[in-house]
Amino acid sequence: MKQRIDYLKKALKEAAGIDEKQLSDEIKTIGFKCKKCAQCCKAEYGDNTVSVFPHEIRRICEETGLNKEDIVIPTPSGDMDSEGNTHTFEWVLRREGDCIFLKNGLCQAYDSRPRICKTYPFYLQKGHLMVSECVGLGEEISDEESKKIAALLKERYITEIKESILLLERFRGFKPGGRGNICVHDSEGEHWVYLGIHDTGKI
């Protein structure tokens, strides 16, 4: 565990040194313009799983007035402890096929949407720019927009590493004993929960 945390701390230092201008230039070369097609939110176009961190969940709740259990479920997992409790890491937005926030082709939580949505189809992997499939790729993008995405990507990447470090520092293994049959491990510790009958995702 310590070795993994040390590796992440090193990665965090490297992430802080990412050149946003270079990242922006790469994005501009690739080109992108959102077509507002919402394909990234729809199940019929592939995996539309959206991972969310605790602070993002709180922001969505504050902006929408919804409760945590209304918008997220534990990330699907097959890991169990000796008493049959399921253990998983982090949370994902609820889906009813499509994302629950997609109504009439528009996002109902647009202003508070997670960084993974704000930066799609781009993401960073080991500090390198990666690109997911999207019909908006190859379109001309302004300097202002490419800089904005670059800044968000760096911010998201740093946050992901910080969240991973905190999660591992608080992780005590798959130990039974909570008040629930699912234990979610995240950067804020352990959360023992039950899946409600309205949950559509399988754990």
Side-chain angles (χ1 to χ4, degrees):
M1 188 71 72
K2 183 181 182 303
Q3 186 176 7
R4 178 61 180 168
I5 292 174
D6 288 343
Y7 170 81
L8 287 170
K9 287 182 176 179
K10 180 182 178 182
L12 183 59
K13 289 181 180 179
E14 293 174 350
I18 289 176
D19 187 335
E20 285 186 33
K21 184 182 184 307
Q22 180 180 336
L23 193 56
S24 174
D25 289 343
E26 289 183 59
I27 292 169
K28 192 166 178 60
T29 298
I30 294 168
F32 170 70
K33 182 177 182 179
C34 180
K35 299 287 190 178
K36 303 186 186 304
C37 63
Q39 289 186 8
C40 53
C41 311
K42 297 177 180 178
E44 66 182 293
Y45 292 99
D47 184 6
N48 63 336
T49 302
V50 175
S51 299
V52 282
F53 295 123
H55 68 276
E56 293 179 316
I57 296 170
R58 284 192 291 273
R59 187 172 68 247
I60 295 172
C61 289
E62 289 170 1
E63 292 290 329
T64 63
L66 296 171
N67 295 319
K68 179 178 178 178
E69 57 269 23
D70 296 324
I71 64 173
V72 295
I73 61 169
T75 302
S77 170
D79 293 322
M80 292 189 175
D81 61 30
S82 59
E83 292 185 5
N85 300 302
T86 297
H87 289 257
T88 187
F89 297 97
E90 302 293 355
W91 309 84
V92 295
L93 287 184
R94 285 182 174 278
R95 293 174 296 175
E96 295 171 356
D98 298 340
C99 175
I100 60 164
F101 289 113
L102 184 65
K103 305 294 181 185
N104 299 318
L106 298 174
C107 176
Q108 303 301 302
Y110 189 80
D111 291 337
S112 57
R113 69 196 188 282
R115 287 188 186 93
I116 191 172
C117 300
K118 291 179 179 179
T119 56
Y120 190 87
F122 303 103
Y123 63 100
L124 293 176
Q125 188 174 77
K126 295 184 178 180
H128 299 290
L129 182 65
M130 308 297 287
V131 188
S132 300
E133 289 185 18
C134 180
V135 296
L137 290 171
E139 298 287 339
E140 185 176 352
I141 184 171
S142 67
D143 289 338
E144 181 182 356
E145 188 63 21
S146 63
K147 288 176 182 177
K148 180 181 177 181
I149 294 175
L152 282 170
L153 275 173
K154 182 176 178 179
E155 181 182 290
R156 170 187 165 190
Y157 185 55
I158 288 173
T159 299
E160 288 172 345
I161 298 173
K162 286 181 177 179
E163 288 283 332
S164 295
I165 292 171
L166 288 172
L167 188 156
L168 292 176
E169 288 177 341
R170 288 165 170 74
F171 183 61
R172 66 185 189 97
F174 290 172
K175 296 182 179 180
R179 292 180 296 174
N181 55 5
I182 300 168
C183 181
V184 182
H185 304 268
D186 65 23
S187 60
E188 297 181 353
E190 293 182 356
H191 309 272
W192 286 87
V193 298
Y194 288 101
L195 279 182
I197 57 173
H198 57 293
D199 285 290
T200 57
K202 289 186 177 180
I203 299 297

